[in-house]
Amino acid sequence: MSDVLSPAEVLEQMTDAYNRGDYDAGLELIDPQAIDHSAPGGPSSDLVAWRGRWEQARADVPDLQVEVEQVLVDGDMVARRLRTRGLRDGQPVEMRGMDMVRVRDGRLVEHWAVAIPGSTAWG
C-alpha cells in the first residue's frame, strides 16, 4: 500500500486546507516547481505569489469557501467545477469556475483555472 495521495485526494485535501485558511497545509501539496498556468501575468512557479493570492482572496472575503460541484479524474489529471462563495462587506459574492491540475507523486505540478463568464467576481 502506498502512502502517496491519489490526484483526487491531493485536490480534496488542498481544498479542505484552503477552506480552513491553512495555507501552509495547502502549499505542502504543491511541488515547489509547479507551474500555475493561470497566474496573473502568465505562467509562474512562484509559491509565495500563490499564497499571496489565497491570502488576498480571504482578506477580500473573510468567510470564503470553495464548494466542489463536480470532479473528473483521468490518470494524473483532475478537473473540477467549482463554486466559491462568501460575504464581502456584508453582501453575498459568488464566483463559479473550473480548474484542472496535474498531480505527480502526491503533489500538484501543473494548474489551470478559469472563472465562468457571467459569475460574480470580486477584486
Side-chain angles (χ1 to χ4, degrees):
M1 180 175 216
S2 173
D3 289 339
V4 175
L5 298 173
S6 73
E9 290 169 330
V10 168
L11 269 289
E12 182 179 335
Q13 287 191 19
M14 184 177 296
T15 301
D16 183 55
Y18 181 84
N19 282 341
R20 292 190 324 267
D22 186 353
Y23 305 131
D24 291 334
L27 289 169
E28 282 293 317
L29 296 166
I30 303 174
D31 186 277
Q33 300 302 311
I35 299 171
D36 184 355
H37 296 279
S38 306
S44 171
S45 293
D46 185 349
L47 292 184
V48 172
W50 203 315
R51 181 188 185 102
R53 289 190 298 278
W54 287 355
E55 290 173 344
Q56 185 60 55
R58 180 75 57 177
D60 291 344
V61 183
D63 64 341
L64 184 70
Q65 292 291 294
V66 174
E67 175 187 342
V68 179
E69 296 181 325
Q70 187 174 14
V71 178
L72 300 171
V73 179
D74 183 15
D76 63 351
M77 300 292 295
V78 180
R80 305 181 307 165
R81 187 167 44 91
L82 308 167
R83 179 186 302 194
T84 304
R85 310 187 235 209
L87 296 173
R88 180 176 58 194
D89 300 326
Q91 299 297 312
V93 293
E94 178 178 296
M95 183 171 61
R96 291 177 178 265
M98 300 176 85
D99 71 358
M100 185 167 65
V101 303
R102 181 181 311 278
V103 174
R104 185 179 311 124
D105 299 326
R107 290 181 129 187
L108 183 151
V109 295
E110 285 189 277
H111 174 259
W112 297 263
V114 300
I116 296 176
S119 67
T120 303
W122 55 85

